Amino acid sequence: MALLHRIIRGIAVRCLAGLTAVSVAAGGIPVPQAKAASLPLIRDNEIEQLLRDYATPLFRAAGLKPEAVQVYIINSDTINAFVAGGQRIFIHTGLLTRAETPNEVIGVLAHETGHIAGGHLSRMQKQLDKASTAAIIGMLVGAATMIGAGLAGQGELARSGQGIMLGGQSLAERNLLSYARAQESAADQAALKYLTATRQSARGMIDLFERLSNESLASSVPVDPYVLSHPMPLDRVRNLEINARKSPYFDAGDSPALKARHAMVQAKLMGFLTSPQRVYQRYPTSDTSAPARYARSIAAFRTGDLRGALAELEPLQRAQPNNPYFWELRGQALLESGKVREAVPALQKAVELMPNQGLVRIMLAQAMLNTNDDRLIEPAIQQLQRAKRYETDSSELHAQLAIAYARRNNIPMADLETAEAALISGDVELAKQKAKRSLAAFKRGTPEWIRANDILNVKVGKD
């Protein structure tokens, strides 16, 4: 039932991208509405850079500006990806950890790029405008019922879900879903075009869809093809493969360097997101490969074994002394283990090796402030100010600035930064309180006064 799960979730997300009154949860994971902040997002320099390297050639092939498209990572073990809220692609960690090759992830990114380039979100909204709200809600509720039944193996309940979807406003629902299937087919064909333009194979995309198709076939729940948002799995794979084999790059493989980065990202995700038991099952101590050491190092420091974490990390750093992500991990392990003074030089090295990454600068500033060394307050503020160039919506950045200014006894600026952090986190009441308190200290018309005044004038929208 995994493919149906993925399919229905995809249409739910795209339907809800422009709405705020309806939400559907599938498999315990909330379907996003308009704001990325409501999702269980994760941030990581290494993973984000890999996805950016995967996607940038595709964006250019599609005529999109790479810097205008944002790629977000959702902490969910399901294989899924979708477009929502304009030029935003959301990738589930399950896709990254279960993809067997970089090319599989690249194929999915090519498909989602096709949705953006084709303007499918805005067009879908026009289709939604033609359908009644009741019809849309009925479709999504029915879809959720089918998903829950399929995952639980309850065929009768799944048929009930289909009944909900097909009852009442069924014509509007079918028209909407038919339109969605056409969008998916168009995105598939666009993906083939972008992959060929970038001299990459579509084999990975086909392999992934085929695996999902096999999982779908393993389900005992019958599915009406006219209530699916995507083409039927076997038809989709067959059509894709026929067209993909026409490309001169169908047999092109991923480079060894790309495969190595893919394996390291998978190890990192397992180290951070799964239990130590699972890490050691997947990467036993007899495995001395770089991904295995990486995963075990992360698992060790997460369980308080700093010595074990550094023991696994040191061979990696000897082999790649200029790998910024190893220095970042060393700094994070030291910082979170209370070794803040030792964390500072490690994070400084990471910043030196990746100067255009804001996340590591925020972590460095946090380590500096945690030393309680007044000489490091100003350098910490400088790091945070530079991080603002790359992290415009980081509540942690503003929270650390608030701490730094408070340590300088600059209470108005501390209040203003607290207000910024609260606003990003969604606590509008606290944001307004702190902004109001800071406003009187700033000269009218200054950047600080304008920031505080803007926060005071924020209107709380209705969900």
Side-chain angles (χ1 to χ4, degrees), residues 2-3 6-7 79-81 95 104-105 107-112 115 184-185 187-189 191-192 195 202-217 230-241:
L3 183 59
R6 179 182 183 278
I7 286 170
I79 299 178
N80 200 3
L95 172 62
E104 291 186 2
V105 181
V108 171
L109 286 168
H111 173 89
E112 300 305 331
H115 281 301
E184 295 303 323
S185 294
D188 284 345
Q189 296 309 308
L192 295 180
L195 291 166
R203 186 188 291 274
M205 181 168 63
I206 293 168
D207 288 346
L208 180 66
F209 286 172
E210 188 170 23
R211 287 208 308 277
L212 292 170
S213 173
N214 289 336
E215 291 181 24
S216 176
L217 288 173
H230 291 41
M232 284 299 285
L234 289 178
D235 292 340
R236 184 179 193 180
V237 174
R238 188 181 302 114
N239 292 334
L240 267 176
E241 187 166 5

Side-chain angles (χ1 to χ4, degrees), residues 361-429:
R361 289 186 182 275
I362 296 171
M363 193 185 301
L364 172 57
Q366 181 182 2
M368 288 176 164
L369 293 172
N370 283 354
T371 64
N372 292 318
D373 185 342
D374 287 348
R375 294 172 298 179
L376 294 180
I377 296 175
E378 192 57 37
I381 292 174
Q382 291 172 5
Q383 291 294 337
L384 292 166
Q385 293 293 357
R386 292 193 65 180
K388 278 186 177 181
R389 302 177 190 176
Y390 316 105
E391 296 294 322
T392 55
D393 296 319
S394 170
S395 61
E396 180 62 24
L397 184 154
H398 292 288
Q400 293 299 320
L401 273 172
I403 293 170
Y405 284 126
R407 292 268 298 278
R408 281 287 191 216
N409 202 33
N410 188 342
I411 303 306
M413 281 302 298
D415 284 339
L416 180 57
E417 295 297 344
T418 300
E420 294 271 20
L423 187 64
I424 293 170
S425 299
D427 191 343
V428 178
E429 183 178 351

Side-chain angles (χ1 to χ4, degrees), residues 77-241:
D77 195 40
T78 55
I79 299 178
N80 200 3
F82 55 85
V83 173
Q87 296 190 20
R88 294 177 179 146
I89 297 176
F90 295 82
I91 300 288
H92 283 209
T93 54
L95 172 62
L96 300 177
T97 56
R98 293 163 66 184
E100 295 179 0
T101 65
N103 190 243
E104 291 186 2
V105 181
I106 291 168
V108 171
L109 286 168
H111 173 89
E112 300 305 331
T113 300
H115 281 301
I116 295 175
H120 292 170
L121 281 177
S122 59
R123 293 181 184 180
M124 176 62 81
Q125 188 61 51
K126 292 178 182 177
Q127 292 293 317
L128 286 169
D129 290 342
K130 297 177 183 178
S132 70
T133 301
I136 296 168
I137 294 174
M139 177 190 68
L140 296 178
V141 169
T145 302
M146 290 172 64
I147 291 166
L151 294 176
Q154 300 172 16
E156 194 62 40
L157 184 57
R159 285 188 286 275
S160 172
Q162 289 187 27
I164 296 173
M165 293 179 71
L166 296 176
Q169 304 286 339
S170 62
L171 181 61
E173 294 165 7
R174 283 172 178 265
N175 287 341
L176 184 62
L177 289 167
S178 175
Y179 181 79
R181 289 193 298 274
Q183 284 189 338
E184 295 303 323
S185 294
D188 284 345
Q189 296 309 308
L192 295 180
K193 176 182 174 182
Y194 307 147
L195 291 166
T196 299
T198 55
R199 301 185 177 185
Q200 299 183 91
S201 174
R203 186 188 291 274
M205 181 168 63
I206 293 168
D207 288 346
L208 180 66
F209 286 172
E210 188 170 23
R211 287 208 308 277
L212 292 170
S213 173
N214 289 336
E215 291 181 24
S216 176
L217 288 173
S219 168
S220 61
V221 180
V223 180
D224 182 343
Y226 293 101
V227 298
L228 291 181
S229 68
H230 291 41
M232 284 299 285
L234 289 178
D235 292 340
R236 184 179 193 180
V237 174
R238 188 181 302 114
N239 292 334
L240 267 176
E241 187 166 5

